[in-house]
Amino acid sequence: MPKSTRKPEVFTKLISRLEKAKGFALYFAVTDDPLFQRAFVLATKAELKRPVVEVEISPAMDIPLSQFIAERLEEASDSPVALVYSPDLFISNESLKIGGEIFNDMSNNQGKYILLRCPLLFIISPVVRGLITALLPEIFELVSAEFLLPSFLISELEFSPFFASQEPRQWVDLFDPLRKGLRGRSPEARRDKATLDYVMGVIFLHLREFAKARKLLRKSRECFRELGDARLQRYPWMWLMKCELETNHFAQARKLAEEYRDYTEKFGTNDDLAFAITLQYLIESAEGNLEKARQFLLEALDMASDDSQQKGMILDFLGDLSDEMGELEEAVEWYQEALEFSREFGYKAREAETLYKLGGVLAELGRTQEAIEAYRDALKLHRQLDGKPYIAETAYALAYTLNAEGDFKEAEKFAKEALYTARRIGYQERAADALLMLGKIASEKGELEQAKSYYLEAKAEYEELEDPLGMARVLTRLGELAADEGEYEQAKEFITQALKLAPKVKDEMLHLRAIFIRGFISFDQGRFGDARRWFEKFLEKLEAVELPEAIRNDLETYVLNALTKCYVELDRLEESLEASKRLLELNRKRGNAAVIILNLLLIGDIYADQEKWEEAEAAFNEAMDMVEEFKGERADYLKAQVHINLARLKTSTGAFEEAIEHLNQIRELDVKPEELPQEIQMLEKLLEQKAAQSSETSDENKRAD
């Protein structure tokens, strides 16, 4: 990846606004991570040409916050920027109350503080926006979505999609010169250096430059340890463990987690210890030791304070783990408990995230309407929080579920919202997925040209992303669409391209779908030999894929039905008989009497073609027994089909009178002549001739006597 030459746009916009502000400008720095918060303060100080006053705040102050800020500003030169932050507060309710004190004090004392005439900028993450909305809705109106900085969700051990879309190399250009330029051996200077080492380590980890990440995170941890800062060293320690997990160094990750647990047992609080135990859960979960992972989570849950965000995170993890273990009902219970916790303490961002995951589990359980409601509630909260990456994710999930339910109008609306939002923030992966979804919806609605347009747009996005899975998905859809339009050669080209990606794509169902479509393309063209090979390949791969029995039986039945016809067309009678018997077995499980009757007739026909008359008659008679009991729609039509097959059989074996009796039975049924095969007329004429010949022979015998 080439080195960027500019800093992140969101940061340069912030600096521009602060430079242009008249009078004082207040920058209230709030992020999910106190070290990133400090890094942003340092970067802002370095970039601004105006004088800067740092104001560290704490809920333990004994004077009003606004007075404290004003006193600090009076000590500075003209028109400073106040960088107000709290390194001791980790997205806590207290930090927001401080913000509320600023707001209320400024509103109630007009003219008393010069701060009243300056813009109030909150630089916040989606998590903090949720708390602000819940606790201080009047402040939310002052929040500028234009300055939504990255959210580093430490509790989730992952980067937000928003950060991923902001060209991480530009963040390197912002922080690395600061890190290299820091001098001095004072505790404050060393702490700032360790902070920037940490920030750069996390960014390099995101860039998957693991050696650089590991080196910087180790330096940061050792420095905080030497400074005796038990609170801050948890962050590089945790990301070091993440680095080892990403590189599959599980033993090293486990050692780090055990060391951190020992440390927190000596120097930390119960919540610190709960966090350390949660890290051990993450390692065991990553290695697939799910029962051991569950034990760690339950231990962490007992340790966490009842009002700490740590508890909410652990409840969420218990839901995730139950989902991974296939215990879906238990996952629902954990997620519902996590929701109660988040709602009680006003953690709207976590509430939204839990609702999103709950929707996924409910959908998997088949509780579709409940899933849709959960997704709608999550989306409503993400809109309030203006968390655009999460809006895109949730709108897409909602569209997917609605489309599966056949509600194409609503599905299209939310898929378009996902596309629009993803494009606004440069979240290309989700934009491509939304385009693919819109193509599916248009196809379901019969709007084939529109579907093709969406698919081709998605294909271009996936090509740019170099995403083999996305490419395989969209190529398969394009192949299916071309086949529906009768463009068989183009359809084969698309499917062939999709199949070539199979070694890179670990998606067995997608591979099966491509083979399935390829087989039916040849089948529809009447190329039964080619179709046979694809259908046999499909059935072979189907055996190796884990699926619910009902879905497996449906797929096997559908393909076996077509494969049997291929064998018949190719005069491969033994194979057609074997396939028909397997098909009959599957249809008996499904319990569809009409299909079973038709299946028996097919088996009887195959036996008759082999001149195995007894076996053929047995199959036809079983069909007759079933059809006599059949009370479903078009019962007379099925009876007619059975009688026709028996008439053919009796004709072939010379039992002409019995054949005529079966034809007479058809005349008594409520069946339109055009619904019967044309051969029945030929059969009737043949039987009339045979009957006449039989009569003449009888008369001759009588005369001879």
Side-chain angles (χ1 to χ4, degrees), residues 497-558:
Q497 291 178 49
L499 289 169
K500 285 179 180 177
L501 292 168
K504 299 179 182 178
V505 177
K506 296 180 180 179
D507 190 328
E508 293 296 333
M509 282 304 298
L510 180 61
H511 194 194
L512 272 176
R513 183 181 182 84
I515 295 170
F516 177 91
I517 295 167
R518 182 63 184 82
F520 276 99
I521 291 170
S522 292
F523 186 83
D524 290 344
Q525 288 182 293
R527 300 179 61 185
F528 299 111
D530 193 45
R532 174 190 67 81
R533 287 187 288 273
W534 287 108
F535 290 147
E536 287 175 345
K537 185 175 183 179
F538 176 91
L539 293 173
E540 181 184 347
K541 286 196 71 66
L542 183 63
E543 289 182 8
V545 178
E546 291 186 13
L547 286 172
E549 185 178 3
I551 295 175
R552 177 185 297 280
N553 289 344
D554 285 348
L555 288 171
E556 189 175 357
T557 300
Y558 197 83

XYZ file of all heavy atoms in Angstrom, residues 497-558:
521
model
N -16.931 -18.695 -14.143
C -16.063 -17.776 -13.399
C -16.260 -17.949 -11.889
O -15.301 -17.919 -11.121
C -16.367 -16.331 -13.798
C -15.952 -15.956 -15.207
C -16.334 -14.514 -15.519
O -16.054 -13.600 -14.756
N -16.978 -14.317 -16.648
N -17.526 -18.112 -11.477
C -17.811 -18.296 -10.046
C -17.173 -19.582 -9.532
O -16.590 -19.612 -8.439
C -19.317 -18.323 -9.817
N -17.258 -20.658 -10.329
C -16.700 -21.942 -9.898
C -15.180 -21.903 -9.808
O -14.578 -22.599 -8.979
C -17.147 -23.048 -10.857
C -18.637 -23.420 -10.770
C -19.037 -24.319 -11.924
C -18.937 -24.097 -9.436
N -14.548 -21.089 -10.642
C -13.089 -20.965 -10.578
C -12.628 -20.330 -9.264
O -11.488 -20.511 -8.845
C -12.585 -20.140 -11.758
C -12.600 -20.884 -13.091
C -12.108 -20.001 -14.220
C -12.119 -20.747 -15.552
N -11.711 -19.873 -16.687
N -13.533 -19.574 -8.636
C -13.188 -18.924 -7.368
C -13.374 -19.860 -6.170
O -13.011 -19.500 -5.044
C -14.052 -17.671 -7.169
C -13.782 -16.509 -8.131
C -14.879 -15.466 -8.024
C -12.428 -15.884 -7.833
N -13.948 -21.046 -6.406
C -14.281 -21.960 -5.309
C -13.105 -22.256 -4.381
O -13.275 -22.278 -3.154
C -14.865 -23.251 -5.871
N -11.881 -22.501 -4.904
C -10.766 -22.787 -3.980
C -10.459 -21.639 -3.013
O -9.939 -21.868 -1.924
C -9.583 -23.026 -4.932
C -10.202 -23.433 -6.229
C -11.467 -22.644 -6.311
N -10.769 -20.405 -3.418
C -10.490 -19.251 -2.559
C -11.643 -18.949 -1.605
O -11.484 -18.171 -0.671
C -10.228 -18.009 -3.423
C -9.047 -18.121 -4.361
C -8.914 -16.836 -5.172
C -7.768 -16.935 -6.175
N -7.651 -15.714 -7.002
N -12.800 -19.531 -1.880
C -14.010 -19.180 -1.135
C -14.441 -20.356 -0.272
O -14.764 -21.416 -0.780
C -15.158 -18.801 -2.105
C -16.426 -18.522 -1.322
C -14.770 -17.603 -2.949
N -14.440 -20.158 1.027
C -14.847 -21.224 1.937
C -16.346 -21.094 2.230
O -16.765 -20.808 3.351
C -14.036 -21.155 3.226
C -12.549 -21.411 3.000
C -11.764 -21.330 4.287
C -10.282 -21.596 4.039
N -9.485 -21.493 5.274
N -17.124 -21.287 1.185
C -18.578 -21.200 1.308
C -19.176 -22.349 0.505
O -19.417 -22.232 -0.698
C -19.086 -19.854 0.800
C -20.562 -19.618 1.118
O -21.308 -20.612 1.150
O -20.944 -18.457 1.322
N -19.408 -23.477 1.183
C -19.879 -24.673 0.496
C -21.253 -24.483 -0.119
O -21.545 -25.001 -1.205
C -19.882 -25.859 1.469
C -18.505 -26.303 1.927
C -17.664 -26.823 0.774
O -18.230 -27.312 -0.210
O -16.424 -26.737 0.862
N -22.122 -23.751 0.560
C -23.471 -23.547 0.027
C -23.439 -22.726 -1.252
O -24.198 -22.984 -2.191
C -24.356 -22.865 1.074
C -24.855 -23.801 2.151
S -25.759 -25.236 1.493
C -27.139 -24.438 0.687
N -22.564 -21.738 -1.296
C -22.441 -20.929 -2.512
C -21.912 -21.788 -3.662
O -22.391 -21.689 -4.800
C -21.507 -19.747 -2.252
C -21.270 -18.805 -3.440
C -22.576 -18.168 -3.888
C -20.263 -17.723 -3.057
N -20.935 -22.644 -3.357
C -20.390 -23.546 -4.367
C -21.483 -24.490 -4.876
O -21.624 -24.713 -6.093
C -19.236 -24.342 -3.755
C -18.400 -25.045 -4.771
N -17.496 -26.028 -4.440
C -18.344 -24.952 -6.122
C -16.920 -26.484 -5.535
N -17.415 -25.850 -6.571
N -22.282 -25.025 -3.955
C -23.390 -25.893 -4.345
C -24.380 -25.169 -5.243
O -24.873 -25.722 -6.232
C -24.120 -26.395 -3.091
C -23.608 -27.667 -2.427
C -24.393 -27.933 -1.161
C -23.715 -28.858 -3.361
N -24.674 -23.944 -4.892
C -25.641 -23.161 -5.681
C -25.148 -22.977 -7.109
O -25.925 -23.088 -8.068
C -25.870 -21.803 -5.018
C -26.918 -20.950 -5.718
C -27.092 -19.595 -5.037
N -28.114 -18.824 -5.688
C -29.407 -18.916 -5.447
N -29.831 -19.773 -4.530
N -30.278 -18.170 -6.096
N -23.856 -22.683 -7.264
C -23.291 -22.480 -8.599
C -23.373 -23.771 -9.419
O -23.733 -23.739 -10.610
C -21.846 -22.001 -8.491
N -23.067 -24.912 -8.805
C -23.158 -26.204 -9.500
C -24.610 -26.496 -9.875
O -24.908 -26.965 -10.985
C -22.591 -27.327 -8.610
C -21.094 -27.113 -8.380
C -22.842 -28.692 -9.229
C -20.502 -28.037 -7.335
N -25.508 -26.212 -8.955
C -26.944 -26.410 -9.167
C -27.417 -25.634 -10.402
O -28.071 -26.185 -11.299
C -27.676 -25.942 -7.904
C -29.171 -26.005 -7.956
C -29.841 -27.135 -7.527
C -29.916 -24.925 -8.408
C -31.231 -27.188 -7.546
C -31.296 -24.970 -8.437
C -31.959 -26.108 -8.004
N -27.069 -24.349 -10.452
C -27.496 -23.511 -11.575
C -26.866 -23.998 -12.872
O -27.539 -24.060 -13.925
C -27.127 -22.036 -11.309
C -27.921 -21.501 -10.104
C -27.402 -21.170 -12.541
C -27.412 -20.177 -9.588
N -25.590 -24.362 -12.791
C -24.903 -24.834 -14.009
C -25.574 -26.087 -14.561
O -25.731 -26.237 -15.791
C -23.443 -25.119 -13.679
C -22.601 -25.567 -14.870
C -22.530 -24.485 -15.935
N -21.796 -24.955 -17.101
C -22.331 -25.695 -18.069
N -23.621 -26.059 -18.009
N -21.608 -26.070 -19.091
N -25.998 -26.992 -13.680
C -26.690 -28.192 -14.127
C -27.997 -27.884 -14.824
O -28.312 -28.447 -15.886
N -28.775 -26.958 -14.266
C -30.082 -26.648 -14.854
C -29.966 -25.815 -16.132
O -30.889 -25.840 -16.954
C -30.981 -25.975 -13.816
C -31.673 -26.967 -12.936
C -31.178 -27.259 -11.680
C -32.793 -27.650 -13.381
C -31.797 -28.202 -10.877
C -33.428 -28.590 -12.585
C -32.925 -28.874 -11.324
N -28.862 -25.119 -16.303
C -28.642 -24.439 -17.584
C -28.569 -25.477 -18.705
O -29.248 -25.365 -19.737
C -27.352 -23.592 -17.548
C -27.525 -22.386 -16.622
C -26.985 -23.109 -18.960
C -26.230 -21.636 -16.352
N -27.760 -26.513 -18.501
C -27.652 -27.576 -19.505
C -28.962 -28.345 -19.641
O -29.367 -28.726 -20.750
C -26.519 -28.535 -19.132
O -25.264 -27.895 -19.255
N -29.651 -28.577 -18.532
C -30.929 -29.291 -18.559
C -31.947 -28.538 -19.414
O -32.638 -29.136 -20.252
C -31.438 -29.465 -17.128
C -32.671 -30.297 -17.009
C -32.596 -31.684 -16.980
C -33.922 -29.705 -16.908
C -33.738 -32.470 -16.859
C -35.070 -30.473 -16.794
C -34.979 -31.857 -16.767
N -32.043 -27.218 -19.192
C -32.994 -26.409 -19.961
C -32.637 -26.368 -21.445
O -33.505 -26.163 -22.298
C -33.046 -24.984 -19.405
C -33.700 -24.924 -18.038
O -34.379 -25.911 -17.668
O -33.531 -23.918 -17.329
N -31.351 -26.547 -21.763
C -30.911 -26.575 -23.153
C -31.115 -27.945 -23.793
O -30.874 -28.094 -24.998
C -29.424 -26.207 -23.247
C -29.112 -24.736 -22.994
C -27.639 -24.445 -23.152
O -26.810 -24.905 -22.367
N -27.295 -23.700 -24.190
N -31.541 -28.927 -23.005
C -31.702 -30.275 -23.527
C -30.394 -31.032 -23.641
O -30.335 -32.092 -24.280
N -29.353 -30.519 -22.996
C -28.044 -31.186 -23.018
C -27.966 -32.084 -21.776
O -27.329 -31.767 -20.773
C -26.933 -30.157 -23.037
C -26.987 -29.240 -24.263
C -25.875 -28.213 -24.244
N -24.573 -28.862 -24.256
C -23.415 -28.211 -24.142
N -23.418 -26.892 -24.014
N -22.265 -28.861 -24.153
N -28.642 -33.246 -21.873
C -28.859 -34.083 -20.698
C -27.580 -34.755 -20.211
O -27.425 -35.001 -19.014
C -29.939 -35.123 -21.005
C -31.262 -34.495 -21.347
C -31.768 -34.565 -22.636
C -31.978 -33.804 -20.387
C -32.974 -33.972 -22.954
C -33.193 -33.204 -20.697
C -33.683 -33.285 -21.989
N -26.669 -35.057 -21.103
C -25.407 -35.654 -20.681
C -24.600 -34.694 -19.818
O -24.068 -35.072 -18.767
N -24.523 -33.442 -20.245
C -23.805 -32.425 -19.476
C -24.511 -32.156 -18.152
O -23.878 -32.055 -17.101
C -23.703 -31.144 -20.305
C -22.707 -30.157 -19.717
O -21.610 -30.589 -19.329
O -23.034 -28.957 -19.641
N -25.842 -32.051 -18.213
C -26.620 -31.807 -16.993
C -26.412 -32.944 -15.997
O -26.264 -32.715 -14.792
C -28.099 -31.664 -17.340
N -26.402 -34.211 -16.523
C -26.193 -35.364 -15.641
C -24.907 -35.228 -14.840
O -24.889 -35.456 -13.624
C -26.147 -36.647 -16.475
C -25.776 -37.886 -15.660
C -25.506 -39.083 -16.550
N -24.311 -38.903 -17.371
C -23.059 -39.092 -16.956
N -22.817 -39.440 -15.701
N -22.041 -38.921 -17.763
N -23.816 -34.821 -15.482
C -22.521 -34.705 -14.790
C -22.574 -33.657 -13.681
O -22.044 -33.877 -12.586
C -21.421 -34.383 -15.804
C -21.053 -35.563 -16.691
C -19.843 -35.265 -17.558
N -20.161 -34.316 -18.615
C -20.653 -34.659 -19.799
N -20.899 -35.933 -20.076
N -20.899 -33.751 -20.721
N -23.226 -32.530 -13.954
C -23.330 -31.473 -12.939
C -24.212 -31.901 -11.777
O -23.895 -31.636 -10.609
C -23.845 -30.176 -13.564
C -22.832 -29.487 -14.413
C -22.816 -29.389 -15.772
C -21.657 -28.800 -13.964
N -21.716 -28.689 -16.200
C -20.989 -28.315 -15.111
C -21.105 -28.553 -12.710
C -19.799 -27.594 -15.036
C -19.919 -27.833 -12.622
C -19.282 -27.367 -13.773
N -25.332 -32.584 -12.097
C -26.230 -33.018 -11.021
C -25.561 -34.074 -10.144
O -25.722 -34.070 -8.918
C -27.529 -33.571 -11.610
C -28.409 -32.521 -12.243
C -29.190 -32.825 -13.351
C -28.462 -31.233 -11.744
C -30.005 -31.875 -13.934
C -29.266 -30.260 -12.319
C -30.043 -30.586 -13.424
N -24.817 -34.979 -10.748
C -24.097 -35.983 -9.956
C -23.046 -35.325 -9.070
O -22.848 -35.719 -7.908
C -23.445 -37.011 -10.890
C -24.451 -37.961 -11.535
C -23.813 -38.892 -12.556
O -22.653 -38.624 -12.982
O -24.462 -39.878 -12.946
N -22.380 -34.311 -9.599
C -21.391 -33.577 -8.801
C -22.066 -32.860 -7.636
O -21.542 -32.832 -6.509
C -20.657 -32.571 -9.697
C -19.524 -31.840 -9.006
C -18.766 -30.957 -9.997
C -17.583 -30.273 -9.321
N -16.817 -29.435 -10.273
N -23.247 -32.294 -7.893
C -23.997 -31.605 -6.842
C -24.328 -32.574 -5.706
O -24.112 -32.261 -4.520
C -25.286 -31.022 -7.424
C -26.170 -30.371 -6.404
C -26.048 -29.017 -6.116
C -27.125 -31.100 -5.706
C -26.854 -28.413 -5.167
C -27.935 -30.506 -4.752
C -27.795 -29.159 -4.487
N -24.862 -33.754 -6.043
C -25.254 -34.720 -5.014
C -24.049 -35.218 -4.228
O -24.139 -35.455 -3.020
C -25.998 -35.884 -5.662
C -27.366 -35.526 -6.264
C -27.933 -36.707 -7.037
C -28.336 -35.072 -5.186
N -22.924 -35.359 -4.903
C -21.698 -35.781 -4.216
C -21.245 -34.739 -3.199
O -20.891 -35.062 -2.061
C -20.599 -36.018 -5.255
C -19.284 -36.493 -4.656
C -18.182 -36.638 -5.697
O -18.487 -36.615 -6.902
O -17.012 -36.748 -5.292
N -21.272 -33.465 -3.593
C -20.847 -32.396 -2.671
C -21.871 -32.196 -1.563
O -21.512 -31.832 -0.439
C -20.636 -31.084 -3.436
C -19.374 -31.058 -4.276
C -19.012 -29.652 -4.688
C -18.517 -28.820 -3.523
N -17.239 -29.282 -2.957
N -23.145 -32.438 -1.876
C -24.192 -32.248 -0.876
C -23.970 -33.155 0.329
O -24.263 -32.775 1.467
C -25.565 -32.520 -1.508
C -26.786 -32.286 -0.617
C -26.887 -30.817 -0.212
C -28.055 -32.719 -1.329
N -23.455 -34.362 0.095
C -23.209 -35.303 1.192
C -22.211 -34.756 2.200
O -22.263 -35.102 3.379
C -22.682 -36.632 0.627
C -23.717 -37.440 -0.133
C -23.159 -38.757 -0.624
O -22.008 -39.083 -0.236
O -23.851 -39.465 -1.376
N -21.290 -33.892 1.751
C -20.219 -33.396 2.625
C -20.593 -32.109 3.358
O -19.828 -31.619 4.180
C -18.951 -33.155 1.800
N -21.770 -31.561 3.068
C -22.175 -30.285 3.654
C -23.162 -30.531 4.790
O -24.122 -31.293 4.633
C -22.810 -29.360 2.589
C -23.267 -28.044 3.221
C -21.808 -29.083 1.479
N -22.916 -29.890 5.937
C -23.829 -30.013 7.075
C -25.023 -29.094 6.871
O -24.880 -27.880 6.764
C -23.109 -29.657 8.380
C -22.047 -30.669 8.788
C -21.457 -30.366 10.147
O -22.039 -29.530 10.870
O -20.414 -30.941 10.485
N -26.217 -29.691 6.827
C -27.443 -28.935 6.612
C -28.565 -29.538 7.454
O -28.539 -30.746 7.745
C -27.861 -28.987 5.134
C -27.083 -28.157 4.121
C -27.533 -28.510 2.716
C -27.279 -26.675 4.373
N -29.578 -28.749 7.814
C -30.762 -29.339 8.431
C -31.375 -30.383 7.493
O -31.361 -30.211 6.266
C -31.695 -28.127 8.611
C -30.790 -26.946 8.638
C -29.655 -27.279 7.725
N -31.898 -31.455 8.066
C -32.381 -32.571 7.250
C -33.447 -32.139 6.252
O -33.453 -32.584 5.093
C -32.933 -33.671 8.158
C -33.337 -34.921 7.386
C -33.849 -36.022 8.286
O -33.943 -35.778 9.515
O -34.159 -37.113 7.778
N -34.349 -31.263 6.671
C -35.439 -30.843 5.779
C -34.894 -30.140 4.538
O -35.341 -30.390 3.414
C -36.403 -29.932 6.527
N -33.913 -29.248 4.756
C -33.329 -28.519 3.624
C -32.556 -29.479 2.717
O -32.657 -29.415 1.488
C -32.409 -27.390 4.130
C -33.230 -26.333 4.874
C -31.641 -26.751 2.977
C -32.405 -25.241 5.517
N -31.791 -30.392 3.333
C -31.034 -31.374 2.548
C -31.978 -32.212 1.682
O -31.746 -32.427 0.498
C -30.240 -32.274 3.488
C -29.480 -33.386 2.760
C -28.812 -34.324 3.760
N -27.828 -33.609 4.535
C -26.600 -33.318 4.100
N -26.230 -33.699 2.888
N -25.762 -32.667 4.850
N -33.077 -32.684 2.285
C -34.026 -33.522 1.547
C -34.662 -32.754 0.387
O -34.860 -33.302 -0.700
C -35.109 -34.053 2.478
C -34.574 -35.102 3.433
O -33.484 -35.649 3.235
N -35.326 -35.396 4.479
N -34.991 -31.496 0.621
C -35.591 -30.681 -0.445
C -34.635 -30.535 -1.629
O -35.038 -30.690 -2.788
C -35.958 -29.296 0.088
C -37.206 -29.324 0.958
O -37.897 -30.367 0.963
O -37.486 -28.310 1.630
N -33.375 -30.215 -1.321
C -32.389 -30.035 -2.393
C -32.154 -31.339 -3.152
O -32.116 -31.368 -4.390
C -31.066 -29.524 -1.810
C -31.046 -28.079 -1.314
C -29.754 -27.796 -0.561
C -31.183 -27.116 -2.477
N -32.003 -32.426 -2.394
C -31.728 -33.714 -3.029
C -32.911 -34.144 -3.892
O -32.726 -34.660 -5.013
C -31.433 -34.764 -1.956
C -30.926 -36.075 -2.532
C -30.526 -37.079 -1.459
O -30.588 -36.738 -0.253
O -30.151 -38.198 -1.836
N -34.123 -33.930 -3.399
C -35.320 -34.303 -4.154
C -35.396 -33.547 -5.474
O -35.657 -34.129 -6.533
C -36.578 -34.015 -3.317
O -36.520 -34.780 -2.112
C -37.843 -34.379 -4.074
N -35.166 -32.245 -5.401
C -35.270 -31.405 -6.590
C -34.269 -31.842 -7.658
O -34.606 -31.974 -8.847
C -35.035 -29.943 -6.206
C -35.507 -28.947 -7.227
C -36.834 -28.559 -7.271
C -34.617 -28.395 -8.142
C -37.276 -27.640 -8.208
C -35.050 -27.483 -9.092
C -36.382 -27.104 -9.112
O -36.814 -26.213 -10.057
